[in-house]
């Protein structure tokens, strides 16, 4: 009887167990489907996009979903670095400026350098960490230093992107971590990579370093595997988030050919690198062996919104409520800020020029100019040397804006130089009813050779006459003590426009070069030959 009962129960038990397993499987499927339906965007598989161009000409060699707006991840840092290079070139900050790390920057998610709140580090190390290590804390510190806050820097990034022709890109942060509205395309990132290559070739080597000293420690390159494996590869930038997948903008050069390839949405770093190598090979097959280099046009400087100029003290700037110290110079002027003709003994001081800039402002709500005394009263802890450097840069920017406005108006007489002045010849006879007046000075544009003034200095070669004149004006204001009385002259050469100060003695030229070199300004003495 017991055997019969056992036989009869066994099928029932087995059926119950099968139903139980089926129920668990169905329940698991329901849970999975509900998770997929409610999963955030960054948990879904990233779409694929690709772009390949001939870097020399900008010609598109291959594209797929190139205009689809996707998450760029750390490719964002290419724009952060582009603006950092732009700021250094325009005198907004120097590579040796000590930057104070904010709590916001220090708290960024990895990948990071490990910066601490309140720590001070040279600006050059932040650039290295962002370019090589792809450090999020370094990228945020760069943005806060240049714009006062990460949000303001993101707006500057978007403005710069539009100026570069990146029409489908919007930035919301400096590092590329997923954020709503922070989007770009494969085409736009390829465009940005090409501008980094040709607009700032002096910094491009950063992207090919297998490792670098980032100040606090030595960091490896996130792109080192492709750099080591693909012949001719020398950059540019990797990126990864769950929403973006594995992204990469890469450039390689072989002989006279250079190709840039971009991939969005790779499934892994290995498969992404393999795909990029395949696209680079495709590019080299399709690119002509010889092509005329057509450099992309460098965009207008987007450092400051509107007509106002803001220069932040990078050593003490701190966003999110921290006290930041700024010097503002109004750029809206009625008349030229150039000094009028003056006696040789009278040299305008920086406070005078600042006062003139404040008087000439015509906007009621334009920011006012702080003199050194006022600035020291408002912020007694501000370092005097840093303040003086900021004031000098502010004066230079105001002078440049005035010079541009002057070109559109009636010509204004240039200031009287100390070298090469000759008094106007007096008439032999004066009418009886005519009073004797002091003759007006005549500005002689040729180089004076009196007093052994056969020497000069060169402060660089530039792509346009306007840029060379701008640098001459800024340098003259920055080093008035040794350059006052010299003749500013732009000389056109087959390779560009040389910015020179002429009419100096050998000793004054050498002294000026030493002082300018101490300010990290390129300088070379020019002899009589």
């Amino acid at each position: 009887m017991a055997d019969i009962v056992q036989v009869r129960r066994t099928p029932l038990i087995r059926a119950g167990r099968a139903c139980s397993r089926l129920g668990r499987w169905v329940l698991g499927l329901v849970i999975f489907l509900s998770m997929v339906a409610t999963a955030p965007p960054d948990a879904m598989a990233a779409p694929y996009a690709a772009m390949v161009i001939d870097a020399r000409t900008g010609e598109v060699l291959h594209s797929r979903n190139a205009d689809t707006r996707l998450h760029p991840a750390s490719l964002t840092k290419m724009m952060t670095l582009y603006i950092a290079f732009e700021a250094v070139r325009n005198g907004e900050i120097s590579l040796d400026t000590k930057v104070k790390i904010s709590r916001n920057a220090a708290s960024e998610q990895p990948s990071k350098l490990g910066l601490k709140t309140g720590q001070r580090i040279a600006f050059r190390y932040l650039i290295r960490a962002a370019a090589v290590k792809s450090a999020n804390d370094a990228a945020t510190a760069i943005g806060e230093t240049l714009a006062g806050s990460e949000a303001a820097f993101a707006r500057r990034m978007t403005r710069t992107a539009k100026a570069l022709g990146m029409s489908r890109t919007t930035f919301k942060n400096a590092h590329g971590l997923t954020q709503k509205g922070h989007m770009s395309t494969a085409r736009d990132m390829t465009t940005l990579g090409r501008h980094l290559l040709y607009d700032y070739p002096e910094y491009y080597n950063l992207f090919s370093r297998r490792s670098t000293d980032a100040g606090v420690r030595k960091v490896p390159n996130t792109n080192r595997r492709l750099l080591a494996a693909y012949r001719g590869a020398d950059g540019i930038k990797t990126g990864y988030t769950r929403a973006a997948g594995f992204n990469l903008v890469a450039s390689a050069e072989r002989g006279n050919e250079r190709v840039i390839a971009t991939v969005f949405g790779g499934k892994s770093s290995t498969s992404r690198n393999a795909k990029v190598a395949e696209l680079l090979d495709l590019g080299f097959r399709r690119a002509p062996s010889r092509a005329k280099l057509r450099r992309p046009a460098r965009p207008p400087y987007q450092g400051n919104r509107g007509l106002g100029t803001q220069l932040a003290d990078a050593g003490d700037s701190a966003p999110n409520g921290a006290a930041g110290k700024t010097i503002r110079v109004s750029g809206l002027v009625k008349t030229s800020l150039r000094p009028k003709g003056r006696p040789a003994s009278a040299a305008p001081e920086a406070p005078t020029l600042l006062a003139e800039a404040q008087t000439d402002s015509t906007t009621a709500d334009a920011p006012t100019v702080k003199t050194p005394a006022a600035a020291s009263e408002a912020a007694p802890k501000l370092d005097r040397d840093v303040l003086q450097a900021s004031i000098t840069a502010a004066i230079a920017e105001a002078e440049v804006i005035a010079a541009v406005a002057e070109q559109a108006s009636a010509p204004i007489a240039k200031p009287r130089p100390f070298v090469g002045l000759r008094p106007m010849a007096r008439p032999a006879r004066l009418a009886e009813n005519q009073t004797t007046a002091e003759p007006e000075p005549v500005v002689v544009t040729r180089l004076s050779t009196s007093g052994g003034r056969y020497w000069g200095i060169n402060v660089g070669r530039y792509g346009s006459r306007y840029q060379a004149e701008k640098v001459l004006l800024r340098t003259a204001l920055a080093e008035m003590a040794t350059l006052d009385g010299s003749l500013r002259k732009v000389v056109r050469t087959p390779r560009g426009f040389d910015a020179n100060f002429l009419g100096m003695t050998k000793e004054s030229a050498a002294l000026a070069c030493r002082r300018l070199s101490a300010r990290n300004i390129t300088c070379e003495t020019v002899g009589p030959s």
Side-chain angles (χ1 to χ4, degrees), residues 128 341 373:
R128 292 180 186 180

Side-chain angles (χ1 to χ4, degrees), residues 305 335 384 428 430 513:
R305 186 68 166 174
T335 59
R384 182 177 180 182
L430 296 174
C513 257

Side-chain angles (χ1 to χ4, degrees), residues 431-513:
E432 295 181 359
N433 58 348
Q434 185 177 1
T435 59
T436 304
E438 287 295 326
E440 291 294 328
V442 176
V443 178
V444 180
T445 57
R446 65 176 178 83
L447 175 65
S448 172
T449 57
S450 60
R453 293 178 176 267
Y454 301 98
W455 290 75
I457 63 173
N458 174 271
V459 292
R461 177 172 293 141
Y462 302 92
S464 68
R465 180 177 296 276
Y466 171 76
Q467 188 177 13
E469 290 174 347
K470 176 180 175 180
V471 171
L472 284 174
L473 181 59
R474 177 179 294 152
T475 306
L477 289 167
E479 188 52 47
M480 295 177 66
T482 55
L483 295 178
D484 203 2
S486 61
L487 175 66
R488 299 195 300 269
K489 186 174 182 64
V490 177
V491 179
R492 184 170 187 175
T493 69
R495 291 179 291 176
F497 294 83
D498 286 351
N500 300 325
F501 289 91
L502 303 177
M504 307 172 70
T505 63
K506 182 177 181 180
E507 293 75 13
S508 63
L511 175 60
C513 257

Side-chain angles (χ1 to χ4, degrees), residues 140-153:
T140 298
I142 290 172
E144 291 175 343
T145 297
L146 296 179
S149 72
E150 191 173 12
F153 186 70

Side-chain angles (χ1 to χ4, degrees), residues 67-305:
D67 295 312
T68 302
R69 283 168 57 85
L70 302 171
H71 297 283
S74 285
L75 300 187
T76 299
K77 295 185 182 75
M78 291 196 300
M79 178 58 77
T80 300
L81 292 164
Y82 186 94
I83 294 177
F85 303 152
E86 182 183 55
V88 172
R89 173 175 285 180
N90 286 274
E92 190 174 344
I93 194 172
S94 77
L95 292 173
D96 295 319
T97 299
K98 293 290 186 179
V99 174
K100 184 177 180 181
I101 303 303
S102 72
R103 183 184 302 275
N104 179 54
S107 64
E108 291 291 3
Q109 301 177 31
S111 170
K112 59 195 299 183
L113 185 59
L115 300 172
K116 306 299 181 183
T117 303
Q119 177 181 353
R120 291 182 180 272
I121 185 171
F123 192 66
R124 68 172 70 248
Y125 294 130
L126 295 178
I127 289 177
R128 292 180 186 180
V132 177
K133 168 67 176 172
S134 195
N136 295 328
D137 50 358
T140 298
I142 290 172
E144 291 175 343
T145 297
L146 296 179
S149 72
E150 191 173 12
F153 186 70
R155 293 192 292 271
R156 175 170 173 177
M157 293 170 72
T158 302
R159 294 199 305 272
T160 305
K162 297 298 185 286
L164 288 169
M166 301 166 61
S167 59
R168 296 183 61 79
T169 295
T170 303
F171 293 108
K172 296 295 183 180
N173 57 57
H175 42 68
L177 292 175
T178 304
Q179 186 172 344
K180 183 178 180 181
H182 187 92
M183 307 292 280
S184 186
T185 68
R187 186 185 304 277
D188 283 357
M189 282 298 161
T190 307
T191 297
L192 178 56
R194 184 169 184 248
H195 274 277
L196 273 172
L197 172 65
Y198 289 114
D199 291 357
Y200 296 99
E202 65 270 32
Y203 297 110
Y204 184 74
N205 70 89
L206 281 171
F207 302 103
S208 62
R209 298 182 186 180
R210 308 296 172 85
S211 63
T212 190
D213 177 15
V216 296
R217 61 190 174 95
K218 193 171 184 178
V219 294
N221 195 320
T222 59
N223 195 30
R224 59 190 180 278
R225 291 177 180 171
L226 181 69
L227 292 173
Y230 192 85
R231 181 170 61 89
D234 55 10
I236 303 177
K237 189 73 189 71
T238 62
Y240 167 76
T241 62
R242 291 173 64 189
F246 290 84
N247 299 350
L248 176 60
V249 176
S251 178
E253 184 177 31
R254 293 180 179 177
N256 295 323
E257 303 172 19
R258 178 177 282 278
V259 173
I260 298 176
T262 298
V263 164
F264 274 61
K267 303 304 180 184
S268 67
S269 60
T270 302
S271 63
R272 174 200 64 192
N273 289 351
K275 186 63 179 179
V276 168
E278 177 185 332
L279 292 175
L280 288 172
D281 286 342
L282 179 149
F284 282 118
R285 287 197 304 269
R286 295 184 178 180
S289 58
R290 293 186 178 276
K292 184 178 181 181
L293 175 61
R294 296 197 297 267
R295 296 176 182 271
R298 189 178 298 162
Y301 183 46
Q302 298 293 321
N304 304 288
R305 186 68 166 174

